Amino acid sequence: SQKIEQNSEALNIQEGKTATLTCNYTNYSPAYLQWYRQDPGRGPVFLLLIRENEKEKRKERLKVTFDTTLKQSLFHITASQPADSATYLCALAYSSASKIIFGSGTRLSIRP
Amino acid sequence: GAVVSQHPSRVICKSGTSVKIECRSLDFQATTMFWYRQFPKQSLMLMATSNEGSKATYEQGVEKDKFLINHASLTLSTLTVTSAHPEDSSFYICSARSVGVNIHYFGAGTRLSVL
């Protein structure tokens, strides 16, 4: 079965630096790879989606890359701020109609 | 973005009672909704997929008679935890999928505490 690994359980970054989170998967590549943000006691919020034929996607300070050869996605937050502190979840979907599979998440803390 | 409303946000009940959680898509039609359970510091565990007008599809190990799902309209799905016990205490989250692209919009979650 598909396994998703997010690089670390927790990541601490100095404000202003770029935070980089990693998502690795086994088996075959998904049609869509997504990143969500989850704050404590809240539901996840969709951030970005990247398709298997796309290498990179950007949205404001966020950037996602997708390397199907390495079976890896990188999620970058540039000019990080304390308000970016949250848990970030990587999720895979194999078609537009399938369920999505979540990684265990990386808890990101941005210190002032 | 699309809005999903989940209600109640928190419920405390006695062991043996049933609890109903509602999930509504407010500004779009959701033919498919999903129910998840999340334990502290763990990721979301999919419990079931709810399709409008048909029976829900449950994940392996999830008791369908324990967690009743109804998806009677394109904007509403409900999860009923029947005869709740303390081990059912958890954070339950629903999501609704937009048509065409597999993006899930999540509710704010329901914290269930069974005494």
Side-chain angles (χ1 to χ4, degrees):
Chain A
S1 61
Q2 180 66 273
K3 283 183 75 173
I4 306 170
E5 289 182 358
Q6 294 194 237
N7 59 323
S8 57
E9 195 175 307
L11 195 61
N12 292 296
I13 300 291
Q14 179 73 44
E15 181 178 8
K17 302 287 186 187
T18 296
T20 298
L21 285 64
T22 304
C23 175
N24 293 291
Y25 59 91
T26 58
N27 300 341
Y28 46 96
S29 291
Y32 306 92
L33 193 146
Q34 307 172 28
W35 285 87
Y36 290 79
R37 169 184 173 143
Q38 186 176 23
D39 290 284
R42 306 290 293 175
V45 174
F46 170 76
L47 296 175
L48 278 170
L49 175 150
I50 188 165
R51 293 176 170 80
E52 62 177 332
N53 61 350
E54 297 176 318
K55 293 258 189 267
E56 182 180 298
K57 210 73 167 290
R58 291 176 185 261
K59 180 182 175 184
E60 298 173 351
R61 293 185 296 113
L62 309 181
K63 185 177 85 170
V64 171
T65 63
F66 191 5
D67 189 326
T68 55
T69 302
L70 294 177
K71 297 188 178 181
Q72 181 181 81
S73 174
L74 299 179
F75 176 78
H76 306 272
I77 304 176
T78 58
S80 59
Q81 304 165 2
D84 296 326
S85 299
T87 295
Y88 291 85
L89 302 166
C90 165
L92 311 183
Y94 287 89
S95 74
S96 61
S98 69
K99 60 188 179 186
I100 59 176
I101 306 167
F102 283 91
S104 56
T106 295
R107 193 168 61 253
L108 177 65
S109 297
I110 309 296
R111 59 181 184 275
Chain B
V3 179
V4 174
S5 172
Q6 186 172 341
H7 178 80
S9 59
R10 188 177 193 96
V11 59
I12 301 172
C13 68
K14 290 183 179 179
S15 186
T17 59
S18 293
V19 175
K20 181 187 278 191
I21 303 170
E22 289 189 353
C23 182
R24 293 180 185 273
S25 56
L26 297 186
D27 52 359
F28 67 102
Q29 293 186 329
T31 54
T32 306
M33 291 185 173
F34 302 84
W35 288 95
Y36 297 83
R37 185 172 179 174
Q38 187 175 36
F39 292 102
K41 296 187 178 180
Q42 292 188 27
S43 192
L44 289 80
M45 184 190 78
L46 180 65
M47 298 174 66
T49 302
S50 167
N51 293 297
E52 186 264 337
S54 63
K55 289 184 179 180
T57 303
Y58 289 82
E59 295 298 302
Q60 192 172 12
V62 178
E63 298 175 59
K64 61 180 181 181
D65 295 329
K66 173 77 172 173
F67 300 100
L68 298 178
I69 292 172
N70 183 277
H71 192 159
S73 77
L74 286 171
T75 58
L76 174 64
S77 176
T78 60
L79 167 69
T80 301
V81 183
T82 61
S83 187
H85 291 284
E87 58 265 29
D88 298 323
S89 299
S90 190
F91 190 54
Y92 293 88
I93 312 174
C94 71
S95 73
R97 183 171 62 203
S98 58
V99 176
V101 181
N102 207 348
I103 295 173
H104 289 223
Y105 297 97
F106 285 84
T110 298
R111 174 73 58 193
L112 172 63
S113 300
V114 185
L115 305 177

